[in-house]
Amino acid sequence: MDLTLSPCCEGTPNLYAASSTRVDAGFHYQLRRDDFGSERLFLVDQLSGVAEQLELRTRDGSESVSNGTVELVEIGERPAVGVGVYVFSDGPQGGQLIYYRTLDGG
């Protein structure tokens, strides 16, 4: 088997599922080619294929984030959404960022 990359392929792959006949994969891409400072997170509706950019910003104004993960978790026995991202920044807010929001309004 001869494997080649698409000329537009610059995203890092992640696998959702795989079998001997099918692979479901996702990729993250930069808004501008070879510009890590332009990376953002998008929420994708798997049924419609529509992607919506998430508006994330740190206290120091950093907006460039990538490698996001989102999980349903429990915080003190309360349902919550946990998020982990990498923040690209020259300021004090650069690096790994982990945060959560409870789903019960508390």
Side-chain angles (χ1 to χ4, degrees), residues 1-99:
M1 181 184 340
D2 198 15
L3 300 176
T4 60
L5 295 175
S6 159
C8 62
C9 180
E10 61 179 89
T12 302
N14 57 291
L15 297 178
Y16 296 111
S19 71
S20 62
T21 60
R22 179 183 171 125
V23 174
D24 289 331
F27 298 89
H28 73 259
Y29 292 91
Q30 302 158 357
L31 291 179
R32 290 182 300 275
R33 187 175 181 86
D34 297 325
D35 180 2
F36 291 111
S38 73
E39 288 194 14
R40 303 291 186 271
L41 294 182
F42 290 80
L43 181 65
V44 178
D45 182 319
Q46 295 293 320
L47 296 177
S48 68
V50 173
E52 180 180 341
Q53 183 176 337
L54 299 178
E55 300 295 329
L56 301 175
R57 181 173 291 126
T58 65
R59 288 185 180 141
D60 75 348
S62 299
E63 298 177 273
S64 179
V65 297
S66 71
N67 302 334
T69 59
V70 178
E71 294 288 333
L72 293 175
V73 297
E74 284 189 8
I75 304 292
E77 298 183 10
R78 296 165 54 196
V81 174
V83 178
V85 295
Y86 185 85
V87 179
F88 293 98
S89 173
D90 291 335
Q93 297 290 317
Q96 297 84 2
L97 175 65
I98 298 173
Y99 63 97

